[in-house]
Amino acid sequence: MSEGNNLKEYLTEIGASKVGFADVDGLASEFTDLPNGISIVLKIPKRAMKYVEEEDYESYWSCFHSQIDKLTEISLKGEKYIKNLGYNAFALTMDRNECDMKKLLSILPYKTIATKSGMGWIGRSALFVTPEYGSAVALGGILTDMPLELGVPITDSQCDDCENCQNACPVDAINPQKWNDRLNREDIIDIETCREYIVDQYKNGLGCTKCMCECKLTKKYLGVE
Ligand code: SF4
Ligand code: SF4
């Protein structure tokens, strides 16, 4: 088995739901010596989705944050594994992949690595969508110079005629335009309207995950459609 396949197997053994390899050469100016991206997908457990249904956001967020901790652990272990092979690596953990919380943008978005790895696409909701788990996923990543068998990027939406998330959004923040990798995020979602609504909901101990829960592929994962 190749080193790349061994790495994939290792990351899956320690908890990743899916792993993909992507060409991200030149996309993150601070990491020009690390041209390959490893995308790590972690499914959000079904029990967490149940909390949303029950509007128990405290339990949902606690579960979600433990998934983020798990992603951090997997990414750092992956970094160590690669370094032990003699290559360089940098785990893009949440605290390292600086995020502008106002614009919800990071230096190298996890979604970019994920779509370029070919594991899924950006849904109408602007969330990353996988065929297996819909948008009920959390994403992590590692940058490296390790030679890897890179995936074929997905450059267009595979949402087809589905509009479930758009119809479910309580503040009409989702635009009719379907994603392709030539568009900006603002072309498919009004992020400011979404953010304002979420902040408002948060003040009342709630949240908004409608677009994630109503995704037809999330429902398929949950076995409710
Ligand atoms: S999180 Fe809520 S407000 Fe934001 S796009 Fe999704 S459904 Fe709309
Ligand atoms: S609900 Fe439908 S349109 Fe929205 S992200 Fe999921 S598959 Fe795409």
Side-chain angles (χ1 to χ4, degrees):
M1 204 162 26
S2 68
E3 281 185 328
N5 280 338
N6 284 337
L7 170 63
K8 220 176 239 190
E9 195 171 281
Y10 171 69
L11 293 171
T12 309
E13 263 169 27
I14 60 172
S17 308
K18 280 184 91 169
V19 177
F21 301 143
D23 177 1
V24 294
D25 196 4
L27 291 183
S29 53
E30 291 178 39
F31 306 107
T32 48
D33 54 334
L34 303 178
N36 294 335
I38 298 163
S39 176
I40 302 168
V41 172
L42 203 56
K43 67 182 172 196
I44 296 178
K46 290 181 182 177
R47 72 171 185 288
M49 304 300 289
K50 192 90 190 133
Y51 293 141
V52 174
E53 205 182 300
E54 294 159 0
E55 296 211 329
D56 178 1
Y57 276 92
E58 201 178 322
S59 300
Y60 169 74
W61 286 120
S62 149
C63 203
F64 182 81
H65 286 124
S66 69
Q67 290 301 94
I68 297 297
D69 291 345
K70 193 169 162 190
L71 265 174
T72 301
E73 191 189 320
I74 296 169
S75 308
L76 290 171
K77 282 186 175 170
E79 178 189 288
K80 193 169 169 197
Y81 178 102
I82 295 168
K83 285 182 171 170
N84 283 341
L85 291 175
Y87 303 106
N88 197 3
F90 185 83
L92 284 169
T93 56
M94 231 20 147
D95 57 333
R96 288 175 173 181
N97 196 20
E98 281 173 44
C99 188
D100 176 337
M101 287 314 284
K102 191 145 193 295
K103 294 185 194 149
L104 298 178
L105 282 175
S106 54
I107 292 171
L108 183 60
Y110 298 117
K111 286 191 268 191
T112 302
I113 313 175
T115 54
K116 287 192 175 293
S117 77
M119 289 197 293
W121 65 97
I122 307 300
R124 283 188 194 274
S125 52
L127 297 172
F128 181 68
V129 180
T130 63
E132 300 88 344
Y133 313 112
S135 45
V137 293
L139 296 174
I142 305 172
L143 298 175
T144 184
D145 56 6
M146 177 177 171
L148 297 166
E149 303 85 18
L150 305 174
V152 179
I154 295 183
T155 54
D156 287 289
S157 166
Q158 294 182 9
C159 289
D160 301 322
D161 294 333
C162 177
E163 294 177 347
N164 288 12
C165 54
Q166 190 187 335
N167 295 335
C169 178
V171 287
D172 288 332
I174 297 172
N175 299 334
Q177 176 102 305
K178 269 197 295 182
W179 171 81
N180 64 55
D181 72 349
R182 281 86 63 203
L183 294 175
N184 296 316
R185 187 175 51 169
E186 294 68 32
D187 295 324
I188 56 172
I189 189 167
D190 179 348
I191 200 69
E192 193 51 35
T193 300
C194 167
R195 197 184 68 83
E196 274 172 18
Y197 182 70
I198 290 175
V199 168
D200 245 30
Q201 291 286 99
Y202 198 70
K203 282 181 203 153
N204 300 318
L206 297 168
C208 183
T209 49
K210 281 257 182 248
C211 49
M212 175 179 71
C213 296
E214 293 305 315
C215 174
K216 69 173 180 185
L217 293 167
T218 303
K219 284 178 171 256
K220 195 171 157 204
Y221 157 54
L222 297 175
V224 294
E225 202 159 83

